[in-house]
Amino acid sequence: MTDTPATDSSPTPRNPGFGVDVGGSGIKGGIVDLDTGELVGERFKVLTPQPATPEAVAAAVAEVVAHFDWAGPVGITLPGVVTEGIMRTAANIDKAWIGTDVYELFSRHLGGRAVSVLNDADAAGMAEDAYGAGKGVDGVVMLLTFGTGIGSAILINGNLVPNTELGHMQVGKQEAEHQASSRIKEEKDWSYEKWTEKVSDVLKAYEALFWPKLFIAGGGISRKADKWIPLLTNKTPVVPATLLNTAGIVGAAMAVSQGIKT
């Protein structure tokens, strides 16, 4: 199914790429204009198979790619840590992913073409840094996605430091995401004032370690940034993400165009 209107009149970009963003509920992909960071035409989405095993998900990714008759390299995000081509963790997908050789898997399902596979937050961070809220900012830029947990991506002058997983960092007596994710806010029915006290504590801990120039806040709660970002008490500027649910696709396309392999 498509989840944005088709725009068949879109011109063919001079520098096209292709990205697929694998999530717990949906797998979406599209052609990206790598000169602008914008999607070309429609985005196509299929439901994530249940159970979300490696073979089933890879077949769904191939379906998304085939929808566009795309024959070039493909970038793919996954909700987990990928190092040396091996999936090390699995968030919101089947635990059978742990230990999977993701390059062998996707290359086999995609006819042997070149692929890049990376963490979904890392892909979103790359896209926001290059085309979105972090565009033009030198130094250290950090994307943090506030959702079920806290996803993280660190970019240094546009270069990704992969698989940071800062949501699991101990801040005080708890992991960061166990006190400052949007899930915790909902579960505890906290006001924005109460929640941002915890978020501020987490951001101050990250500041003390990384001294970033900018924090970019992602996740669904970033759409209500005006209600909570002004309440934060940390020093580093915090801005909402701008690419929203296209960031993963765009970042995946960037990764394969740059030959990034985690």
Side-chain angles (χ1 to χ4, degrees):
M1 64 179 177
T2 58
D3 55 359
T4 56
T7 53
D8 296 333
S9 61
S10 299
T12 302
R14 290 177 297 176
N15 188 17
F18 197 94
V20 181
D21 189 14
V22 176
S25 60
I27 297 171
K28 52 189 182 290
I31 299 171
V32 177
D33 183 340
L34 291 169
D35 288 333
T36 65
E38 296 176 349
L39 264 62
V40 179
E42 66 180 6
R43 180 179 64 173
F44 183 73
K45 179 179 177 180
V46 299
L47 296 178
T48 301
Q50 299 301 328
T53 60
E55 294 293 335
V57 168
V61 168
E63 178 184 351
V64 171
V65 175
H67 174 83
F68 293 89
D69 293 323
W70 177 262
V74 176
I76 304 161
T77 81
L78 289 173
V81 170
V82 179
T83 65
E84 299 178 331
I86 305 298
M87 190 80 160
R88 307 296 182 180
T89 67
N92 301 319
I93 53 175
D94 197 274
K95 298 304 180 187
W97 278 93
I98 298 174
T100 296
D101 181 335
V102 295
Y103 285 96
E104 185 281 327
L105 173 73
F106 286 114
S107 181
R108 174 163 44 85
H109 279 266
L110 293 170
R113 76 185 76 194
V115 296
S116 286
V117 186
L118 72 165
N119 173 267
D120 51 3
D122 284 345
M126 288 180 61
E128 287 288 345
D129 184 66
Y131 305 109
K135 184 178 181 180
V137 180
D138 294 328
V140 177
V141 174
M142 297 179 65
L143 170 82
L144 300 170
T145 58
F146 295 91
T148 303
I150 298 177
S152 63
I154 297 179
L155 286 297
I156 303 174
N157 294 324
N159 296 305
L160 176 69
V161 179
N163 297 312
T164 49
E165 294 289 300
L166 293 180
H168 297 305
M169 185 175 127
Q170 193 87 359
V171 178
K173 296 181 179 180
Q174 291 180 298
E175 288 188 3
E177 65 182 29
H178 292 164
Q179 55 187 303
S181 64
S182 63
R183 173 181 61 85
I184 294 296
K185 179 185 181 301
E186 293 172 7
E187 287 180 356
K188 295 184 178 293
D189 196 26
W190 280 344
S191 65
Y192 282 110
E193 289 78 7
K194 174 65 175 176
W195 180 64
T196 53
E197 289 179 12
K198 300 294 186 180
V199 176
S200 294
D201 288 343
V202 167
L203 296 184
K204 289 172 185 176
Y206 295 161
E207 285 173 336
L209 288 177
F210 301 106
W211 291 87
K213 286 280 190 71
L214 183 71
F215 286 118
I216 301 172
I221 202 165
S222 69
R223 295 183 179 90
K224 300 178 181 177
D226 60 312
K227 296 182 181 296
W228 62 274
I229 285 181
L231 302 175
L232 296 169
T233 59
N234 64 293
K235 293 180 180 179
T236 305
V238 182
V239 297
T242 59
L243 300 181
L244 301 177
N245 50 12
T246 68
I249 296 173
V250 174
M254 289 175 63
V256 74
S257 74
Q258 297 173 16
I260 292 175
K261 291 194 172 186
T262 58

